[in-house]
Amino acid sequence: MHEVMSVEEVERIMDETQDAIEYQRQIDDMLAGSFSQEDEDAVLAELEAITQGDVELPEVPEEELPDVPEAAEEKPERDRPRKKAEREMLAV
């Protein structure tokens, strides 16, 4: 295994993975609604401004959307079956 990756590369990957996990936790906390009092106050103030009409919202287009060509009507990318990754044999 040492021929494939150095110890430094493994440590770097582990550090990047830990950073990504921490970042994901932050996102999860935000989505779960764990706002600070300051964040919640700012959101409520913005909501109040929007509902009172104090905020100028963008104009909504009135023209109809163009027709979608038939080729684009195929299954979305996520609904298509995925190709299985080919396995590589490594010397141990």
Side-chain angles (χ1 to χ4, degrees):
M1 193 66 180
H2 291 290
E3 294 174 8
V4 177
M5 280 187 180
S6 68
V7 173
E8 290 81 18
E9 283 182 282
V10 172
E11 289 175 348
R12 180 185 55 81
I13 291 170
M14 290 176 66
D15 288 342
E16 288 175 357
T17 302
Q18 186 61 37
D19 291 343
I21 290 170
E22 289 299 320
Y23 183 68
Q24 184 62 48
R25 279 194 191 120
Q26 290 175 352
I27 292 172
D28 291 344
D29 289 344
M30 284 191 284
L31 292 175
S34 60
F35 289 114
S36 68
Q37 187 60 42
E38 183 178 305
D39 292 336
E40 191 168 337
D41 291 343
V43 168
L44 290 174
E46 186 175 347
L47 176 63
E48 182 69 24
I50 290 171
T51 57
Q52 296 301 318
D54 297 342
V55 175
E56 187 174 323
L57 299 175
E59 292 295 320
V60 178
E62 293 182 13
E63 62 263 359
E64 291 190 29
L65 295 174
D67 290 335
V68 178
E70 284 188 38
E73 291 179 7
E74 293 178 10
K75 289 183 178 180
E77 186 71 29
R78 67 177 189 273
D79 292 344
R80 293 183 188 151
R82 290 187 174 165
K83 293 181 182 177
K84 291 186 178 179
E86 293 183 26
R87 295 184 178 187
E88 284 186 43
M89 294 183 67
L90 298 175
V92 181

